[in-house]
Amino acid sequence: MLDTLALMFDDFEVATDNLLEVHQSLTSQNYLLFGNTYGTKAYLNYAPIHIDVKNIRGKPYLFVHFSMPKLADKPHNTYGLTKAEAHQAFIHLRELLESCGIYVNFDTAKVTRLDTALNIDANYQLEAYIPIFGMMRDSRLVKQQTGNTTRWQNKQREFCVYDKRQELADSGLAPDLFDDVPDNTLRFETRQLKHSNVQDDLRIKTPGDVLACYDDLDAIASRVWQQRLFYVNPKDTAQSELITVMALIEASKQTNTKQWSNQSMVLLGLYHLAGLTDA
């Protein structure tokens, strides 16, 4: 499913009666932002979107950041949108921008960030999977464990796994708004943080491309996870392999040897080798 998007517009106009807040500096250079307005930046938080105008290398650009489910008036971002709903959300985005006095050309817009998510109804609590996530590595990503969130990241992309129901509870959202989210819902998020990575990993450049491949986004997200970290479908890892993997780890712990963790890795390797050779 599609979650967060950020769009960059180089073809836009701002009305004189716009709602943007302009920040001007008294000590450094101010740049042309729109019309005859100069400043260091202009911005607006206009729920559910965030707007920035910046001058980059002498040219003004408009950036719009938003969550697609929230733009479609869903109570939280576990709701996947249909392609028709996503198309309507883009129409609503245009309407919101115009209500702020901003007029954009969607045809030339670029997608500078795109987050996809897989919500998996797992058989066990998240804690049971953390040893498995600890085995996942990518030489170009830094792995971090913060509470119950496992994250692999660099400046270009980020992958994370966490308990979505617990995250919603911690956010202060009224419990009745996420009663339909099952316990042990694992949230696998892929965050492409630059336009070049959105293009390279997802083959998406524009909002039109998002809609063109919309029905394939889940498959594309799974492929990116497999290529970068899991080398198998994350859903398969969370479901079918867990019992075997956890049994191997637990069996190694029961040996009471100091090297039980290394032993479990050896057993896990043998298990995968046996699967590859049909042993």
Side-chain angles (χ1 to χ4, degrees):
M1 60 168 285
L2 184 60
D3 188 5
T4 299
L5 269 178
L7 303 179
M8 180 181 73
F9 299 88
D10 62 358
D11 185 5
F12 69 98
E13 295 182 2
V14 178
T16 55
D17 57 346
N18 67 85
L19 302 182
L20 290 166
E21 298 182 42
V22 178
H23 183 269
Q24 295 178 324
S25 175
L26 299 177
T27 58
S28 60
Q29 185 176 355
N30 292 294
Y31 299 91
L32 178 65
L33 298 175
F34 51 86
N36 294 317
T37 300
Y38 286 76
T40 58
K41 65 178 180 179
Y43 57 91
L44 177 65
N45 284 315
Y46 192 73
I49 61 177
H50 178 80
I51 303 168
D52 288 292
V53 181
K54 301 177 183 178
N55 189 302
I56 302 175
R57 293 187 290 275
K59 182 175 175 59
Y61 291 91
L62 173 76
F63 297 88
V64 185
H65 187 278
F66 54 94
S67 165
M68 284 291 279
K70 293 180 181 178
L71 188 61
D73 202 29
K74 304 295 184 182
H76 50 78
N77 63 355
T78 61
Y79 287 89
L81 305 184
T82 65
K83 185 175 181 178
E85 288 176 322
H87 183 259
Q88 190 61 42
F90 279 126
I91 294 174
H92 183 43
L93 174 61
R94 183 190 293 274
E95 293 170 346
L96 286 174
L97 290 172
E98 291 181 357
S99 70
C100 298
I102 301 170
Y103 300 85
V104 299
N105 183 355
F106 267 91
D107 293 337
T108 60
K110 292 182 178 180
V111 180
T112 58
R113 172 173 174 168
L114 192 150
D115 296 2
T116 55
L118 300 171
N119 298 315
I120 297 175
D121 185 7
N123 295 324
Y124 299 87
Q125 293 183 349
L126 176 66
E127 290 81 358
Y129 298 87
I130 289 179
I132 301 174
F133 300 148
M135 303 172 196
M136 309 305 170
R137 292 288 186 273
D138 185 300
S139 60
R140 291 161 292 185
L141 300 171
V142 176
K143 178 178 175 294
Q144 294 181 335
Q145 184 71 45
T146 306
N148 285 334
T149 298
T150 305
R151 181 178 287 107
W152 303 262
Q153 63 183 347
N154 57 27
K155 293 181 179 180
Q156 288 77 38
R157 55 178 62 85
E158 180 177 320
F159 301 84
C160 64
V161 189
Y162 59 93
D163 184 324
K164 185 59 186 180
R165 185 175 175 85
Q166 186 61 51
E167 188 263 348
L168 291 171
D170 293 343
S171 71
L173 194 68
D176 62 304
L177 294 179
F178 57 90
D179 277 344
D180 56 339
V181 179
D183 291 334
N184 305 329
T185 295
L186 301 190
R187 174 87 162 190
F188 291 78
E189 289 189 4
T190 309
R191 301 168 182 171
Q192 307 296 336
L193 305 178
K194 290 189 175 182
H195 173 66
S196 59
N197 296 103
V198 176
Q199 182 176 339
D200 292 344
D201 285 359
L202 307 178
R203 303 294 186 263
I204 289 174
K205 297 181 181 179
T206 67
D209 293 337
V210 173
L211 292 176
C213 71
Y214 194 82
D215 293 334
D216 298 322
L217 280 176
D218 282 354
I220 293 172
S222 291
R223 173 178 55 78
V224 173
W225 272 93
Q226 292 174 49
Q227 291 176 342
R228 293 287 174 180
L229 292 166
F230 278 85
Y231 306 105
V232 293
N233 190 303
K235 185 174 182 179
D236 294 337
T237 297
Q239 299 283 18
S240 62
E241 291 194 357
L242 176 70
I243 295 176
T244 301
V245 172
M246 292 305 296
L248 289 172
I249 292 175
E250 185 61 31
S252 299
K253 288 176 65 176
Q254 294 302 320
T255 62
N256 294 319
T257 62
K258 294 181 179 179
Q259 301 298 321
W260 71 265
S261 59
N262 291 340
Q263 181 179 333
S264 67
M265 295 302 101
V266 172
L267 289 174
L268 183 62
L270 291 173
Y271 162 67
H272 280 289
L273 181 61
L276 291 172
T277 58
D278 294 326

